[in-house]
Amino acid sequence: MKAQARLAGFSLVGVARAKEPTGHSFYRAWIEKGYHGTMEYLSNSIAQRGDLDSVLPGVRSVLACAMFYSRPARQESPRIAQYALGRDYHKVLRGKLRKLGLWLESQVPGCVTRPCVDSAPILERELAQNAGLGWFGKNTCLINSERGSWFVLGMLLTTAELWPDAPAVGGCGSCQRCVEACPTGAIVHEEGRWQVDARRCVSYLTIEHRGGFSREQAAWVGDWTFGCDVCQEVCPFNEPRASQPMRSPRVEEEGLASSREWPSVGHIATIEEGEWDLLTRGSAVRRAGWSGLQRNARANLENAQQTKG
Ligand code: B12
Ligand code: SF4
């Protein structure tokens, strides 16, 4: 199964038992504090996220897969998070997981599989940690000790019993680079755990937040037009290493790494709906919506003006 997943282009692959997540009470407390902002799909699915059986009845195992997407150069203007520069990873990963699922179903007659990339109510990072892929950093990203955190995750849930891996162990030690570099102070330490108050997170504001920005929110966004990579850029585990490529082998041919041509921030601030539609087709950037992307670019322009003034 793992060999098949590697052939499909995944760099990290592991198996976790489908058990009740230990971080579920933490998840609930995070929601109760309102840290999810307006992401109602998170607050509407608290119970489901503690019960994998509600996503796939009879589930026994989870195949956790990671694909790396790091690029040689960042996209500066418009400033867009690296994961979103190529083809929408949801589509790329889901297609691969679906094929892996069909393969497993052919090997284990009667078993059922379900591919999940973000959309299903599951705690992907905890499952991936249990499958040995990486551990939770202070920025809450999953970090692999050898290869860093520039990866996206996909899960294949299955009723088949697969041999589980050992959970990943590791930690940031005394390093606080991400906490200090976060432009909005979104990474906080409460109840003995590091967590992200999404309401202050630039990634949330530019991707998930709906409606206009308050003055404070507009200033927080800075020059980011979509997403934010700051807490990963400063992470020492993400320093490029010759021995460990920061991209998965199939990333280029899948289009996950290829950049499209982005118009200027000024252009995006007033982009027509039809042009936005063409520009963001098949891209994760579409998630911000037409008015959301315009709003982000307008905030970028205002912030640039203020810096000049
Ligand atoms: C909502 C969401 C967001 C929100 C909230 C982020 C957050 N930190 O929670 C926002 C919009 C801000 C966001 C931003 C980003 N996201 Co996001 N996001 C998600 C999503 C859909 C749910 C995450 C969630 O449940 N959050 C709630 C909090 C409470 O959960 P948590 O932080 O995972 O908390 C767990 C741990 O704290 C754990 N825990 C704590 N201590 C301990 C101890 C032990 C022993 C154990 C077992 C567990 C444990 O318990 C909690 C529950 O499991 C996941 C996909 C998914 N379905 O999981 C992607 C996901 C986490 N995001 C991802 C990415 C790539 C990003 C960005 C990097 C994108 C960008 N460049 O802009 C940023 C990173 C910002 C950051 N520092 O977190 C990737 C992460 C890959 C990785 N290497 O970690 C995921 C997995 C999507 C994917 N399929 O690849 N995201
Ligand atoms: S993504 Fe940006 S704003 Fe969000 S926690 Fe990381 S550094 Fe802070």
Side-chain angles (χ1 to χ4, degrees):
M1 187 69 216
K2 287 180 179 170
Q4 289 291 320
R6 291 209 178 84
L7 272 177
F10 291 111
S11 289
L12 302 176
V13 186
V15 173
R17 258 188 233 287
K19 55 178 190 188
E20 195 187 318
T22 47
H24 189 246
S25 56
F26 172 77
Y27 178 84
R28 182 186 294 275
W30 185 81
I31 298 280
E32 280 166 3
K33 286 193 285 192
Y35 281 5
H36 61 299
T38 57
M39 294 181 285
E40 282 177 7
Y41 67 95
L42 296 178
S43 51
N44 288 341
S45 59
I46 299 179
Q48 279 169 292
R49 276 172 213 262
D51 177 18
L52 279 175
D53 226 57
S54 68
V55 180
L56 179 69
V59 59
R60 284 203 188 89
S61 313
V62 180
L63 183 80
C65 302
M67 191 173 260
F68 285 79
Y69 54 78
S70 172
R71 275 141 240 283
R74 352 189 264 207
Q75 167 72 35
E76 295 287 356
S77 182
R79 206 165 172 200
I80 294 173
Q82 296 207 25
Y83 85 93
L85 286 171
R87 255 188 88 207
D88 186 346
Y89 75 94
H90 300 93
K91 293 186 202 298
V92 176
L93 269 64
R94 202 173 291 125
K96 290 177 181 300
L97 291 170
R98 197 167 286 132
K99 277 194 198 146
L100 281 173
L102 289 174
W103 183 84
L104 185 63
E105 286 170 17
S106 74
Q107 302 298 306
V108 186
C111 89
V112 183
T113 61
R114 174 165 175 191
C116 304
V117 187
D118 265 3
S119 49
I122 58 174
L123 298 169
E124 289 180 1
R125 289 192 279 203
E126 182 170 330
L127 289 165
Q129 186 197 17
N130 288 338
L133 269 53
W135 38 270
F136 283 93
K138 287 180 184 163
N139 59 6
T140 78
C141 287
L142 208 71
I143 300 176
N144 179 276
S145 297
E146 278 81 46
R147 302 196 50 180
S149 68
W150 294 120
F151 59 82
V152 278
L153 290 169
M155 308 284 139
L156 186 71
L157 272 51
T158 175
T159 54
E161 186 98 51
L162 303 176
W163 196 259
D165 285 286
V169 282
C172 301
S174 57
C175 176
Q176 300 245 34
R177 282 200 216 169
C178 60
V179 180
E180 285 153 16
C182 172
T184 60
I187 307 172
V188 293
H189 192 249
E190 287 166 5
E191 299 103 26
R193 278 184 188 182
W194 289 98
Q195 44 199 291
V196 168
D197 179 351
R199 296 169 303 182
R200 297 177 79 95
C201 175
V202 176
S203 179
Y204 162 78
L205 289 168
T206 54
I207 302 173
E208 300 286 335
H209 178 76
R210 298 292 171 252
F213 284 149
S214 66
R215 270 172 179 272
E216 192 177 41
Q217 288 170 328
W220 279 341
V221 162
D223 61 354
W224 285 99
T225 310
F226 185 89
C228 170
D229 281 336
V230 173
C231 55
Q232 295 193 89
E233 282 174 349
V234 297
C235 176
F237 286 97
N238 283 337
E239 276 159 21
R241 271 155 268 190
S243 57
Q244 295 285 351
M246 308 295 274
R247 283 184 186 200
S248 290
R250 300 274 291 276
V251 154
E252 295 289 356
E253 72 191 73
E254 303 295 349
L256 197 62
S258 66
S259 285
R260 47 185 86 196
E261 287 291 314
W262 296 97
S264 70
V265 175
H267 187 87
I268 295 176
T270 55
I271 194 166
E272 298 280 342
E273 190 172 11
E275 195 187 343
W276 166 84
D277 179 43
L278 284 175
L279 179 70
T280 59
R281 235 174 242 182
S283 154
V285 174
R286 201 172 176 84
R287 173 83 183 156
W290 169 48
S291 57
L293 200 65
Q294 279 189 339
R295 171 204 62 196
N296 298 345
R298 283 199 303 271
N300 299 155
L301 291 176
E302 279 163 30
N303 292 329
Q305 277 296 327
Q306 302 231 323
T307 316
K308 270 193 207 149

